[in-house]
Amino acid sequence: MQEMAIPNATLEAPPAADAIIRAQKVEKYYAQPSQNRIQVISATDLSIVPGEILALLGPSGSGKSTMLRMLTGLSTPTAGEVYWHGTPISQAEINVSIVFQSFALFPWLTVLENVEAPLQARGVPPAERRERSMKMIDVVGLDGFEAAYPKELSGGMRQRVGFARALVVEPEVLFMDEPFSALDVLTAENLRSELLELWTKKTMPTKAVFLVTHNIEEAVLLADRIVVLGRNPGHIRTDFALQLPQPRDRKSEAFTHLVDYIYKVLTQPDVAPAEAPGQPAEPRTRDQRQMRYQMLPHARPGGIAGMLELLLDRGGRDDMYRLADDLAFEIDDLLPIVDAAQMLGFLKIEEGDAAITPSGEVFANSEILRQKELFRNAAVENVLLLRQIRRALDAKSDHTVPEDFFLDMLDEQFSEEESQRQLETAVTWGRYAELFDFDSARRRFVMPDALEEEIASTGDAK
Amino acid sequence: MNLPHPLARSLVIVRKTPFFVDLGVAACALALFFAVVSTGVYWFQKPIPVVPISNSIGALPAYAFYSLVRMAVAYFLSLAFAVSYGYIAAYNSRVEPWMIAVLDILQSIPVLSFLPPVVLAMVALVPGHQLGIEMAVIFLIFTGQVWNLAFSFYSSLKTIPREMLEASRIFRYSGWQRFWQLEMPFSAIGLVWNSIVSVAGGWFALIFCETFTMGARNFQLPGLGSYIQSATNSGDVHALLAGIAAVILIVVATDQLVWRPLIAWSDKFKFEQVESSEQVTSPILELLRRSRILDTLPGRIWNQVEEPVYQHMARTRECRVVRPLDESKSAKAPPAFWAVAVAIVLTVGWAAMQAMFMLSTITWPDLRLLLEGAAATFLRVNASLLISAAWTVPAGVAIGLNPPLARIVQPLAQIMASVPATAFFPILLIGLVKIGGGLGIGSVALMLLGTQWYILFNVIAGAMAIPSDLREVSSLYRFTRWQRWTRLILPGIFPYLITGMVTASGGAWNASVMAEYSHVKDRTLQTIGLGAQIDAATDHGRFAMLLLATIMISLMVVTMNRLVWRRLYRLAETRFKLEG
């Protein structure tokens, strides 16, 4: 690929009127069955301007997808307004497309029919429809597969159909919701560079691209501007333009610095992010709401132990992104493990480096039964939810407590789905630590029989 | 195996409706019943001629044709109604809980007990008597078929993956395009499987209700059911056998000519990412596909129809703006909505009151009779289920673990399940009269005829679905026979067994209405039971008894479903699910 001119008009904050889509103080709440409202996104401004690829990064639960859906008009903000060229989006005839993570192709339609369907919806006459679709299928490199059904294609080819369908309507903004995360590494890489080529050569008439991803390298590779979201509730942590010329070299120092920087931002949710390297940026941050419960990261105890052992082999300290790279993990895989180790006091994050603590070192060096014990102590000490479950079990004469009891408490703080996941993680941890067991038929927490007395007595001694 | 999964799906929807919804629905049912009965009673004195039935075998094709037409009309009406009902319920959150509660309860009511009042009402509505009775019978089959179709369509609509819905919104599909390209294809498989069950139920009811007596009146329509009935009454065994043969022939032909091609065709609507290795094949479908005209012509005609629709829809506002998926539900209802709601509540309330007044004419001895009958029928239904399970589980497992045999037996069991047991009932009766047995055993035998095939069919499928590595484990560790059954086979077939038992239990309750009371050659055979009470009340025109008996039978079915079957289903869905 040759050197491309990247439109860099976005370095200075553009006047709002130029924005294709502009979100103004949008907020999103989800109503819970129990009348509680959970805020998933706090008041946020965001603009999509012509000529840029904007990447939205964030850990799971930061409302990336919700943001995308509000910007496309698929979801109505609870407060605030989204504008399309200055008109409220609910009244404007907008022209956008989405490429979905799950492809969302219609399995009963052929490739051609899938690509034709959006044109059909716009009342394009059959002859023109066919011609435009064939051309777009050609552009994405699926020539000859027009009559195939999606299930006959590989994942990569299916996503190509997804691209063809999205581009055939010549959208002004192309939205992509983790478009490569369901694909294997090589296929994803291939598709990414082809997308970049279409964009830089202006083969697609699209004016802006909005990419939601949890893959930091992907964002740094493709984007002209990166917005990093924080969670609880979702908010913008940092928003900066990239000045690296295309094509970008993953090995270059500027590239790794940026990746490292984003890791730092993501792993230190409480610290205001520093400036992005090599460019002026206006870091924005806000206080986390005071939470009763910490959010349990959805990591398995085995994963925590494995990560700590790996870190110990490296002398107890390493760069986050290198760790992720070596494990071939994406940030959504690694972050929960790091968070969990941090929460249990086994790990510290310093300057984007993961550093093992003394207790973490003992943990990593111990054999399995001892590890369980250390994990148990750390969990009871550091994790409120586990401590509460344990106390409740100790207090009850029959030593069982229904799941609903804790769900109700979590419900005040997390969405229904997240409460469920929090409890699932708590069960995994509790079982590993032999703190308690869970009877899934009766949906109740119970004491593990053999350990019941022993733990009860040590618990009293404390 | 090609198990009707969509069926299973429709039964386990978790509903969280407050009890007043159920109460309201019960009131609606009462009101409806009263409305039907009172119109019927009002016109009771109208003379209705009986179509004479010839016992000659030469007349059979014509009768078969009449019955087929009735079935077809009823089926297409059900399909159309089910699709609109499911659609409204799925997309209108205001009425959704009510409509689903109505579905849930109506699905559990044995339709046959509605026959008499429905006939009276329909005859009243249409002055041309023949059409009136025809409509009554069609309406009855319709009510038996429509609910599971509607449930299936509704639950399919509710389970469309979110990203598919979002795709249809962001690409600004019109309602028309969404219906044909997303909603219908996504529901197709469920609708096909439920249609098979529905039509089987339809035949069961049709054979029974083409001929019946009410008070001094006889109603008879030309058709296979009447033919079989008349052959039984005149003791003409040849005609009887010919009639039964015709029924079986039709069922087998429907299976081969309609259902198999449909199942094979609907395979393309499977919502899966990879192509499955196992596919239903149908020679008929292959034949149709090879015909060039049939392959392209319908598509071309359809395009001619569709194109203007798309052109027009694209210009409407609906297609120019992306509509959010989470439109605020708290939008104010229009005053018309409230006016209609109030009117409905008042009417329902009044009619339900009237029905209650009607019930007040019931005396204590009557009530005792009904309660005894309820207990007897309850025992009989469960006895028949237990007996069916007792022989079908070992037999089904033996067959299912022997794949070559299973491949032959399973389709047979499937067809047997679709042959209406009502067709065999006359033979059973004649046999009983000959050996002097009573209807007490006879009715259990009839329920067995209808129920066991469903269970057998499902158990075979369950046994075939037990993974072979689990079976190898059990032989590797030398499980005893007891261990093999309790640790492997029974848990393995549990979800399938429950699916079969639920269907069978519904069938058995329905059968009880006709099994406990029967006329053979001027003799009336009967035994204690709710079904017998319903029939007797029909015969004597005692609507209060009829109403109360129907309420009791419905209550028992609903209670059993709620307390037993739904729980077992959830257990099957969670704990005993073999992840594949």
Side-chain angles (χ1 to χ4, degrees):
Chain A
M1 232 194 275
Q2 343 146 342
E3 188 86 1
M4 293 303 160
I6 289 294
N8 258 345
T10 64
L11 279 182
E12 262 72 78
D18 284 359
I20 304 172
I21 298 178
R22 184 167 55 90
Q24 194 175 17
K25 299 256 171 299
V26 290
E27 283 180 66
K28 188 75 185 177
Y29 286 88
Y30 281 128
Q32 301 275 85
S34 59
Q35 307 296 320
N36 289 327
R37 289 204 318 168
I38 297 294
Q39 191 180 24
V40 281
I41 290 182
S42 61
T44 302
D45 294 332
L46 192 64
S47 293
I48 300 173
V49 294
E52 69 174 11
I53 298 183
L54 170 62
L56 191 64
L57 264 174
S60 61
S62 58
K64 292 177 301 226
S65 289
T66 311
M67 193 56 121
L68 180 140
R69 270 137 190 96
M70 288 198 293
L71 292 172
T72 49
L74 282 176
S75 169
T76 325
T78 319
E81 183 73 76
V82 178
Y83 296 96
W84 169 263
H85 289 299
T87 0
I89 201 161
S90 55
Q91 280 138 48
E93 188 178 339
I94 71 172
N95 186 15
V96 301
S97 291
I98 301 182
V99 175
F100 294 93
Q101 180 178 14
S102 67
F103 318 135
L105 300 174
F106 299 92
W108 38 84
L109 300 183
T110 62
V111 168
L112 181 64
E113 286 166 338
N114 261 298
V115 177
E116 271 190 19
L119 294 176
Q120 213 172 3
R122 293 179 189 207
V124 177
E128 188 191 339
R129 210 158 67 199
R130 173 125 329 179
E131 191 195 316
R132 280 170 67 178
S133 308
M134 295 296 256
K135 208 176 119 207
M136 199 42 78
I137 290 173
D138 197 18
V139 164
V140 299
L142 277 180
D143 222 357
F145 287 93
E146 291 87 358
Y149 284 96
K151 65 182 161 197
E152 298 169 277
L153 305 178
S154 68
M157 285 159 96
R158 262 180 245 164
Q159 194 56 302
R160 282 170 195 267
V161 183
F163 274 109
R165 180 178 67 171
L167 292 173
V168 79
V169 294
E170 306 187 343
E172 261 189 81
V173 185
L174 174 67
F175 284 87
M176 298 192 279
D177 188 8
E178 311 202 354
F180 310 114
S181 64
L183 306 174
D184 64 85
V185 182
L186 286 178
T187 312
E189 191 61 39
N190 189 9
L191 266 183
R192 252 178 236 132
S193 60
E194 281 183 40
L195 171 76
L196 208 54
E197 202 173 312
L198 288 181
W199 167 251
T200 47
K201 282 189 179 156
K202 300 259 173 255
T203 320
M204 54 187 200
T206 304
K207 290 198 189 129
V209 174
F210 185 94
L211 169 74
V212 165
T213 178
H214 57 242
N215 183 327
I216 296 176
E217 289 202 7
E218 179 175 298
V220 176
L221 208 57
L222 296 177
D224 302 311
R225 182 174 144 215
I226 292 181
V227 174
V228 180
L229 289 187
R231 63 183 172 202
N232 293 330
H235 60 278
I236 293 183
R237 302 216 37 230
T238 171
D239 175 349
F240 59 91
L242 277 73
Q243 287 169 319
L244 304 176
Q246 290 281 15
R248 292 174 186 165
D249 175 11
R250 282 168 188 270
K251 299 271 178 327
S252 77
E253 201 171 334
F255 192 97
T256 51
H257 271 161
L258 269 172
V259 173
D260 202 28
Y261 164 74
I262 296 171
Y263 262 111
K264 253 179 238 170
V265 175
L266 282 172
T267 47
Q268 297 176 310
D270 304 325
V271 180
E275 281 181 4
Q279 43 221 322
E282 183 80 0
R284 273 179 268 173
T285 187
R286 60 187 294 287
D287 286 339
Q288 295 279 302
R289 278 198 313 176
Q290 274 309 306
M291 293 276 192
R292 218 164 98 71
Y293 291 102
Q294 317 101 303
M295 175 136 159
L296 289 189
H298 307 291
R300 287 168 200 285
I304 301 172
M307 196 270 294
L308 288 174
E309 280 160 30
L310 182 77
L311 202 56
L312 203 62
D313 287 345
R314 307 251 176 115
R317 190 182 181 98
D318 205 350
D319 265 340
M320 284 285 295
Y321 74 88
R322 208 169 299 155
L323 212 54
D325 216 30
D326 285 5
L327 292 167
F329 269 6
E330 288 189 357
I331 101 170
D332 266 16
D333 305 320
L334 185 64
L335 270 191
I337 299 179
V338 170
D339 282 355
Q342 235 179 325
M343 182 183 273
L344 293 166
F346 294 153
L347 190 77
K348 264 201 221 130
I349 299 293
E350 293 161 350
E351 308 276 302
D353 285 357
I356 202 163
T357 61
S359 66
E361 212 172 316
V362 176
F363 178 76
N365 275 326
S366 305
E367 44 78 46
I368 178 81
L369 285 180
R370 176 76 185 135
Q371 269 190 346
K372 282 189 172 213
E373 201 182 320
L374 290 168
F375 190 92
R376 179 159 67 229
N377 294 339
V380 170
E381 198 168 312
N382 296 309
V383 185
L384 175 65
L385 180 60
L386 294 181
R387 196 159 60 226
Q388 277 184 340
I389 295 175
R390 181 64 204 195
R391 283 218 187 113
L393 284 176
D394 283 335
K396 286 278 290 278
S397 56
D398 61 348
H399 296 312
T400 75
V401 183
E403 166 192 56
D404 287 345
F405 180 73
F406 298 105
L407 273 180
D408 283 350
M409 297 204 298
L410 290 169
D411 192 47
E412 290 172 12
Q413 205 174 301
F414 301 107
S415 70
E416 198 183 2
E417 203 183 329
E418 187 55 46
S419 303
Q420 199 71 49
R421 287 184 63 195
Q422 286 291 311
L423 268 199
E424 273 166 31
T425 306
V427 168
T428 316
W429 290 20
R431 276 179 173 160
Y432 175 82
E434 295 175 26
L435 271 169
F436 48 79
D437 203 348
F438 184 70
D439 180 346
S440 60
R442 292 187 301 149
R443 311 301 300 170
R444 276 173 164 272
F445 288 94
V446 294
M447 278 291 203
D449 297 332
L451 291 148
E452 206 163 300
E453 271 162 40
E454 177 206 329
I455 296 173
S457 57
T458 54
D460 288 342
K462 240 176 210 168
Chain B
M1 261 328 285
N2 45 6
L3 239 219
H5 283 302
L7 261 185
R9 194 198 289 160
S10 72
L11 280 156
V12 284
I13 277 206
V14 184
R15 242 177 9 89
K16 288 180 188 161
T17 42
F19 83 102
F20 69 83
V21 171
D22 289 344
L23 268 186
V25 170
C28 289
L30 271 176
L32 181 75
F33 194 89
F34 174 74
V36 168
V37 166
S38 53
T39 4
V41 169
Y42 181 61
W43 294 97
F44 192 48
Q45 50 275 56
K46 267 211 161 182
I48 295 127
V50 173
V51 178
I53 295 288
S54 149
N55 275 356
S56 105
I57 292 178
L60 252 182
Y63 289 144
F65 174 75
Y66 282 131
S67 294
L68 261 179
V69 168
R70 244 164 250 146
M71 268 315 294
V73 171
Y75 171 71
F76 285 111
L77 281 179
S78 318
L79 190 63
F81 181 85
V83 166
S84 11
Y85 193 96
Y87 204 89
I88 296 173
Y91 288 120
N92 194 331
S93 56
R94 213 185 300 278
V95 292
E96 182 177 352
W98 289 89
M99 290 182 80
I100 296 312
V102 167
L103 260 189
D104 202 32
I105 290 187
L106 286 183
Q107 193 167 229
S108 318
I109 296 179
V111 281
L112 289 182
S113 73
F114 274 116
L115 177 65
V118 166
V119 171
L120 293 176
M122 286 296 174
V123 168
L125 285 174
V126 185
H129 51 260
Q130 208 52 32
L131 189 59
I133 310 177
E134 286 285 355
M135 275 178 57
V137 170
I138 288 172
F139 180 76
L140 211 76
I141 306 171
F142 167 87
T143 49
Q145 289 179 332
V146 74
W147 310 117
N148 62 329
L149 284 175
F151 222 122
S152 156
F153 190 65
Y154 165 80
S155 55
S156 294
L157 289 185
K158 283 302 211 185
T159 47
I160 295 178
R162 202 178 162 81
E163 293 206 327
M164 303 283 282
L165 284 178
E166 286 175 346
S168 76
R169 286 287 170 100
I170 204 74
F171 294 121
R172 311 200 311 230
Y173 278 21
S174 55
W176 171 269
Q177 190 173 8
R178 209 173 55 226
F179 184 74
W180 290 110
Q181 290 192 354
L182 177 58
E183 286 152 353
M184 258 324 215
F186 192 77
S187 325
I189 294 182
L191 282 181
V192 169
W193 281 105
N194 278 286
S195 296
I196 298 177
V197 175
S198 276
V199 169
W203 278 111
F204 185 93
L206 181 66
I207 300 287
F208 175 68
C209 63
E210 277 177 351
T211 303
F212 75 102
T213 315
M214 182 158 170
R217 320 264 162 210
N218 287 316
F219 298 81
Q220 198 165 48
L221 285 172
L224 277 177
S226 299
Y227 183 85
I228 290 175
Q229 194 71 37
S230 134
T232 315
N233 285 343
S234 55
D236 185 344
V237 178
H238 284 290
L240 179 57
L241 290 179
I244 294 174
V247 171
I248 296 179
L249 194 72
I250 290 180
V251 168
V252 173
T254 321
D255 183 71
Q256 288 300 314
L257 297 179
V258 181
W259 299 134
R260 296 223 118 224
L262 263 182
I263 292 170
W265 172 76
S266 68
D267 194 60
K268 83 176 203 181
F269 300 119
K270 248 189 208 150
F271 195 75
E272 59 184 3
Q273 298 305 320
V274 278
E275 205 156 3
S276 66
S277 50
E278 205 152 356
Q279 276 172 343
V280 181
T281 53
S282 160
I284 303 288
L285 185 68
E286 290 302 310
L287 212 66
L288 289 179
R289 276 188 177 150
R290 251 175 244 161
S291 142
R292 176 160 285 187
I293 296 176
L294 276 176
D295 203 34
T296 56
L297 195 63
R300 270 193 218 150
I301 295 173
W302 186 237
N303 278 345
Q304 294 299 315
V305 179
E306 264 198 323
E307 215 41 63
V309 178
Y310 281 114
Q311 304 281 342
H312 170 75
M313 296 299 272
R315 284 193 293 273
T316 60
R317 191 179 180 280
E318 184 199 356
C319 283
R320 297 163 84 93
V321 170
V322 173
R323 284 183 310 134
L325 276 168
D326 53 357
E327 267 158 322
S328 60
K329 283 160 188 162
S330 56
K332 282 259 161 59
F337 174 84
W338 289 112
V340 171
V342 167
I344 290 177
V345 168
L346 286 181
T347 322
V348 164
W350 181 80
M353 285 292 286
Q354 293 298 316
M356 296 297 271
F357 283 135
M358 193 157 134
L359 282 184
S360 64
T361 61
I362 297 225
T363 56
W364 283 111
D366 286 341
L367 189 62
R368 235 195 70 204
L369 213 60
L370 282 178
L371 285 177
E372 273 173 15
T377 303
F378 180 82
L379 289 179
R380 224 168 265 142
V381 164
N382 288 305
S384 79
L385 278 184
L386 281 182
I387 296 173
S388 309
W391 84 263
T392 52
V393 168
V397 168
I399 296 169
L401 294 183
N402 180 353
L405 185 61
R407 263 192 283 282
I408 302 167
V409 177
Q410 210 198 12
L412 283 182
Q414 199 179 350
I415 291 176
M416 283 309 287
S418 326
V419 174
T422 28
F424 294 107
F425 195 41
I427 293 195
L428 207 72
L429 275 184
I430 292 176
L432 278 175
V433 171
K434 280 222 172 99
I435 60 169
L439 251 193
I441 301 165
S443 56
V444 174
L446 179 77
M447 290 177 195
L448 272 180
L449 270 184
T451 56
Q452 54 198 357
W453 303 112
Y454 280 115
I455 306 184
L456 180 66
F457 165 67
N458 277 288
V459 168
I460 294 176
M464 289 174 80
I466 296 178
S468 57
D469 40 3
L470 288 188
R471 275 160 58 196
E472 279 158 16
V473 165
S474 76
S475 50
L476 197 65
Y477 293 109
R478 293 167 199 245
F479 277 21
T480 60
R481 179 176 290 255
W482 171 252
Q483 273 179 318
R484 234 171 101 81
W485 275 90
T486 55
R487 297 278 169 233
L488 175 69
I489 296 173
L490 286 180
I493 63 171
F494 187 77
Y496 297 85
L497 185 61
I498 296 300
T499 308
M501 299 268 274
V502 170
T503 323
S505 137
W509 280 105
N510 218 349
S512 74
V513 175
M514 45 155 304
E516 293 171 348
Y517 186 95
S518 194
H519 301 277
V520 184
K521 290 193 234 167
D522 308 329
R523 277 178 59 195
T524 301
L525 289 175
Q526 69 167 315
T527 176
I528 301 172
L530 258 195
Q533 292 299 336
I534 288 178
D535 289 333
T538 309
D539 263 9
H540 305 125
R542 296 198 55 196
F543 289 108
M545 282 288 271
L546 180 62
L547 176 54
L548 189 59
T550 308
I551 292 173
M552 284 172 75
I553 216 169
S554 310
L555 263 183
M556 282 200 290
V557 176
V558 171
T559 318
M560 279 295 279
N561 280 347
R562 294 267 161 97
L563 292 185
V564 182
W565 296 121
R566 198 166 283 171
R567 286 177 190 203
L568 286 175
Y569 228 108
R570 209 154 292 151
L571 201 62
E573 279 283 294
T574 51
R575 203 168 139 196
F576 294 107
K577 196 168 180 194
L578 276 168
E579 296 296 341

Short mmCIF file of all heavy atoms in Angstrom, two decimals, chain B residues 28 115 122 150 186 229 247 272 299 372 378 406 454 494 536 544 547:
data_model
loop_
_atom_site.label_atom_id
_atom_site.label_comp_id
_atom_site.label_asym_id
_atom_site.label_seq_id
_atom_site.Cartn_x
_atom_site.Cartn_y
_atom_site.Cartn_z
N CYS B 28 -63.85 -13.49 30.95
CA CYS B 28 -64.08 -13.43 29.50
C CYS B 28 -64.61 -14.76 28.99
O CYS B 28 -65.54 -14.83 28.20
CB CYS B 28 -62.80 -13.09 28.76
SG CYS B 28 -62.27 -11.41 29.00
N LEU B 115 -68.91 -27.91 21.64
CA LEU B 115 -69.63 -28.25 20.42
C LEU B 115 -71.10 -27.84 20.44
O LEU B 115 -71.54 -27.11 19.56
CB LEU B 115 -69.47 -29.75 20.12
CG LEU B 115 -70.24 -30.25 18.92
CD1 LEU B 115 -69.72 -29.62 17.66
CD2 LEU B 115 -70.15 -31.75 18.81
N MET B 122 -74.17 -21.05 15.62
CA MET B 122 -73.84 -20.92 14.20
C MET B 122 -75.07 -21.13 13.34
O MET B 122 -75.29 -20.44 12.35
CB MET B 122 -72.76 -21.92 13.82
CG MET B 122 -71.41 -21.54 14.33
SD MET B 122 -70.84 -20.00 13.60
CE MET B 122 -69.36 -19.73 14.50
N ALA B 150 -50.90 -19.84 17.15
CA ALA B 150 -50.72 -18.44 17.57
C ALA B 150 -49.56 -18.33 18.56
O ALA B 150 -48.73 -17.44 18.46
CB ALA B 150 -52.00 -17.91 18.19
N PHE B 186 -38.56 -16.44 9.92
CA PHE B 186 -38.07 -16.85 11.23
C PHE B 186 -39.07 -17.75 11.94
O PHE B 186 -38.69 -18.62 12.72
CB PHE B 186 -37.79 -15.62 12.10
CG PHE B 186 -37.03 -15.93 13.34
CD1 PHE B 186 -35.67 -16.16 13.28
CD2 PHE B 186 -37.66 -16.02 14.56
CE1 PHE B 186 -34.95 -16.47 14.42
CE2 PHE B 186 -36.95 -16.33 15.71
CZ PHE B 186 -35.60 -16.56 15.63
N GLN B 229 -69.56 -43.29 11.93
CA GLN B 229 -70.60 -43.35 12.95
C GLN B 229 -71.78 -44.18 12.46
O GLN B 229 -72.27 -45.06 13.17
CB GLN B 229 -71.05 -41.93 13.28
CG GLN B 229 -71.87 -41.81 14.53
CD GLN B 229 -71.00 -42.03 15.76
OE1 GLN B 229 -69.85 -41.63 15.79
NE2 GLN B 229 -71.56 -42.71 16.75
N VAL B 247 -59.51 -42.88 6.44
CA VAL B 247 -58.92 -41.88 7.33
C VAL B 247 -57.40 -42.03 7.36
O VAL B 247 -56.65 -41.07 7.20
CB VAL B 247 -59.49 -42.00 8.76
CG1 VAL B 247 -58.71 -41.12 9.71
CG2 VAL B 247 -60.96 -41.65 8.77
N GLU B 272 -29.40 -20.95 11.63
CA GLU B 272 -28.16 -21.54 12.12
C GLU B 272 -27.03 -21.01 11.29
O GLU B 272 -27.20 -20.56 10.16
CB GLU B 272 -28.23 -23.05 12.03
CG GLU B 272 -28.46 -23.50 10.61
CD GLU B 272 -28.63 -24.99 10.47
OE1 GLU B 272 -28.63 -25.68 11.48
OE2 GLU B 272 -28.74 -25.44 9.34
N GLY B 299 -42.41 -17.18 -8.15
CA GLY B 299 -41.54 -16.08 -7.79
C GLY B 299 -41.79 -14.87 -8.67
O GLY B 299 -41.88 -13.74 -8.19
N GLU B 372 -67.67 -36.02 41.62
CA GLU B 372 -67.30 -37.43 41.45
C GLU B 372 -66.74 -37.66 40.06
O GLU B 372 -65.71 -38.31 39.87
CB GLU B 372 -68.52 -38.33 41.64
CG GLU B 372 -68.78 -38.73 43.07
CD GLU B 372 -70.10 -39.47 43.19
OE1 GLU B 372 -70.64 -39.91 42.15
OE2 GLU B 372 -70.59 -39.58 44.33
N PHE B 378 -60.13 -37.45 36.21
CA PHE B 378 -58.75 -37.12 36.55
C PHE B 378 -57.90 -38.39 36.68
O PHE B 378 -56.83 -38.52 36.10
CB PHE B 378 -58.74 -36.34 37.88
CG PHE B 378 -57.38 -35.93 38.35
CD1 PHE B 378 -56.79 -34.80 37.83
CD2 PHE B 378 -56.70 -36.69 39.29
CE1 PHE B 378 -55.53 -34.42 38.26
CE2 PHE B 378 -55.44 -36.31 39.72
CZ PHE B 378 -54.85 -35.18 39.20
N ALA B 406 -34.84 -47.61 14.54
CA ALA B 406 -35.47 -46.33 14.84
C ALA B 406 -35.85 -45.59 13.56
O ALA B 406 -36.89 -44.95 13.48
CB ALA B 406 -34.54 -45.47 15.69
N TYR B 454 -47.65 -40.19 20.79
CA TYR B 454 -46.86 -38.98 21.03
C TYR B 454 -45.67 -39.30 21.92
O TYR B 454 -44.56 -38.85 21.70
CB TYR B 454 -47.71 -37.91 21.71
CG TYR B 454 -48.60 -37.16 20.77
CD1 TYR B 454 -49.98 -37.25 20.88
CD2 TYR B 454 -48.06 -36.36 19.78
CE1 TYR B 454 -50.79 -36.56 20.01
CE2 TYR B 454 -48.86 -35.67 18.92
CZ TYR B 454 -50.24 -35.78 19.03
OH TYR B 454 -51.04 -35.10 18.18
N PHE B 494 -35.45 -37.40 29.50
CA PHE B 494 -36.42 -36.63 30.29
C PHE B 494 -37.09 -35.49 29.53
O PHE B 494 -38.32 -35.42 29.48
CB PHE B 494 -35.74 -36.12 31.57
CG PHE B 494 -36.68 -35.46 32.53
CD1 PHE B 494 -37.51 -36.21 33.34
CD2 PHE B 494 -36.74 -34.08 32.61
CE1 PHE B 494 -38.37 -35.60 34.22
CE2 PHE B 494 -37.62 -33.47 33.49
CZ PHE B 494 -38.43 -34.23 34.30
N ALA B 536 -73.91 -35.93 28.59
CA ALA B 536 -75.27 -36.12 29.06
C ALA B 536 -76.00 -34.79 29.12
O ALA B 536 -77.15 -34.66 28.70
CB ALA B 536 -75.26 -36.78 30.44
N ALA B 544 -76.66 -25.38 32.23
CA ALA B 544 -75.95 -25.03 33.47
C ALA B 544 -74.93 -26.12 33.80
O ALA B 544 -73.77 -25.84 34.14
CB ALA B 544 -76.95 -24.85 34.61
N LEU B 547 -72.09 -26.00 31.38
CA LEU B 547 -71.19 -24.89 31.68
C LEU B 547 -70.27 -25.23 32.85
O LEU B 547 -69.05 -25.08 32.78
CB LEU B 547 -72.03 -23.64 32.01
CG LEU B 547 -71.26 -22.40 32.45
CD1 LEU B 547 -70.20 -22.04 31.44
CD2 LEU B 547 -72.23 -21.24 32.64
#
